[in-house]
Each structure stands twice: as C-alpha cells, then as structure tokens.
Amino acid sequence: MNRPIAAIFDIDGTIFRDSLLLKHMEKCVSYDVFPNSVNTEIKFHKNAWENRELDYDDYLYIAATLYTKYIADKDVLDIDFVAKKVIEKESKKLYRFTRDRIKWHKKQGHKIIFISGSPDFLVAKMAEKLGADLWFASQYLNDGNKYSGEVVPMWDSDPKKKILEGLPVDLENSYSYGDTTGDFTMLQMTGHPTAINPNQKLLDKLKEEGVAC
C-alpha cells in the first residue's frame, strides 16, 4: 500500500505573518492574565531584533522562555479564552502564497500537517481554522485547571525530526515549508522543500548542507 503524500507546514512566519505565541502574550497582558511587566521585559529584546542586533530565532526563544514563566499557575480557562480571541482576530493575517499552497495541496489529496513551536492550544485552533489533518506543537502542561509552567518544546529541529520519522507518509515525495533553523530538518527530510521568508541562519544552514529549496 502506497503511503500518502503530505504537505508539512511551520506556522509562525510561514503561514501566519507573525508569531502566535507573541500575539497571545500581548493579548494576555491586555486581558490582565499576564502583568504589564511582561511588556517591559520583552521590549529590550524586541528592539534588538527590530534593529537587526538579535536574530529572530533567538528573539523567539527569549520570548518563549518569558512566556513559559508567566503561564505558570494561570487558569486554563483564562488562557483558552485569550487564545480564542487571538485566533478570531489574527487568523486571517496569512501569507497569500502559503494560504494558496494549502488550498492546492488539498485539491491534490495531500495530507496537511502543521508542525509548530507555538503553544498546542493555539496551534490546535489554527489547524482547525485552516483545515489541517494533523498538527504537532509545544505542549504546555497543566492539571486541567492550572498550567504548571512546564513545557515539552517543539522549537528545534530534533523534536520535529522525531515527529517526521513517525509519520506514516511518503517523505520522499512530500512537501515542506518553513522559515527558521528549527524547520531545517523538515526541509531536509522531504523531497520538495520550500523556504519561506528564511532568516539568515536558515539560509546559511541550507547552503552548508546542500539543501535546495
């Protein structure tokens, strides 16, 4: 039996024209779920990124570390409420190219798979909105009532590689789309990789390893 062909997408910076985590963090401050001090803590790093003094990968890692700290002991229902608001307001801010590619892959009968470093409860909602068949994301642990502050990350290439190795799809003939070094493995492991708005680190890595996108 032939394995199905998949179209595997990163979300942040690839489909979505921003970061789901960053948008959720901003909204959590707006709704008083996170304190205003979050904005002060992230501002220096945001400015450094905007001034090209900090790579986007590093900026997102710092933001994710801060986010993980502040989500500890927060109510699951409060976090989910803000997540719904983010998707309602932001889910149309998509890159036209990847939005159209998702539609094309669906017409071809390909499986649509999202693999993202953003929080699982955000990725789940975006996947439902865009009609993905499967999704994988960073897992923010909770006991059903409150978040523990622990996370099982999907930020780097290694966890994404494990996911890809376990997928029942034809990787050699599958497609992948990503924008940062965390997406390198998925671009390397599929037969039809496409780098979307790649940062310099990813471009250097692709060139170094001879991956044509």
Side-chain angles (χ1 to χ4, degrees):
M1 182 176 175
N2 292 331
R3 291 192 165 198
I5 293 172
I8 306 163
F9 292 83
D10 169 56
I11 293 179
D12 301 330
T14 300
I15 299 174
F16 180 53
R17 298 199 314 260
D18 209 316
S19 158
L20 288 175
L21 182 146
L22 287 173
K23 286 298 179 183
H24 190 253
M25 188 157 65
E26 289 175 9
K27 280 269 186 281
C28 279
V29 174
S30 298
Y31 282 98
D32 295 324
V33 177
F34 289 176
N36 286 327
S37 60
V38 172
N39 290 334
T40 303
E41 289 187 59
I42 198 65
K43 185 177 181 180
F44 171 81
H45 306 290
K46 183 178 181 180
N47 288 341
W49 165 61
E50 290 177 341
N51 293 332
R52 299 181 183 272
E53 298 165 355
L54 183 68
D55 187 83
Y56 190 62
D57 282 5
D58 298 327
Y59 171 48
L60 282 185
Y61 180 78
I62 291 167
T65 301
L66 183 63
Y67 180 89
T68 302
K69 179 178 78 171
Y70 278 105
I71 203 172
D73 296 323
K74 296 300 183 294
D75 193 288
V76 168
L77 293 178
D78 288 342
I79 293 296
D80 190 63
F81 170 80
V82 180
K84 288 176 181 176
K85 293 297 181 182
V86 169
I87 299 301
E88 286 172 10
K89 184 174 177 59
E90 306 288 344
S91 61
K92 291 183 180 180
K93 295 179 180 179
L94 310 177
Y95 286 111
R96 183 179 300 175
F97 174 78
T98 39
R99 181 196 64 193
D100 291 346
R101 290 301 286 174
I102 290 172
K103 291 178 181 178
W104 181 82
H105 284 296
K106 286 181 178 180
K107 287 180 180 178
Q108 308 312 307
H110 299 162
K111 294 184 79 68
I112 307 298
I113 301 172
F114 292 169
I115 303 181
S116 173
S118 275
D120 47 0
F121 47 82
L122 287 165
V123 173
K125 290 176 173 57
M126 184 65 89
E128 181 180 7
K129 191 85 173 176
L130 298 180
D133 297 295
L134 288 171
W135 60 268
F136 302 90
S138 297
Q139 299 174 48
Y140 284 77
L141 306 184
N142 64 81
D143 62 5
N145 294 305
K146 292 186 181 298
Y147 283 93
S148 67
E150 296 178 276
V151 59
V152 181
M154 189 65 67
W155 302 325
D156 301 320
S157 283
D158 287 346
K160 292 182 181 182
K161 180 181 179 182
K162 291 178 182 178
I163 292 294
L164 289 170
E165 289 174 340
L167 288 176
V169 300
D170 178 1
L171 288 176
E172 185 176 347
N173 289 300
S174 288
Y175 298 74
S176 61
Y177 304 84
D179 70 317
T180 66
T181 51
D183 304 316
F184 173 76
T185 296
M186 116 183 149
L187 294 171
Q188 184 184 45
M189 292 176 67
T190 50
H192 305 285
T194 302
I196 304 293
N197 305 313
N199 64 9
Q200 192 60 50
K201 280 187 177 180
L202 178 58
L203 285 173
D204 292 344
K205 184 76 171 174
L206 292 169
K207 185 176 180 180
E208 178 185 327
E209 298 294 333
V211 179
C213 291

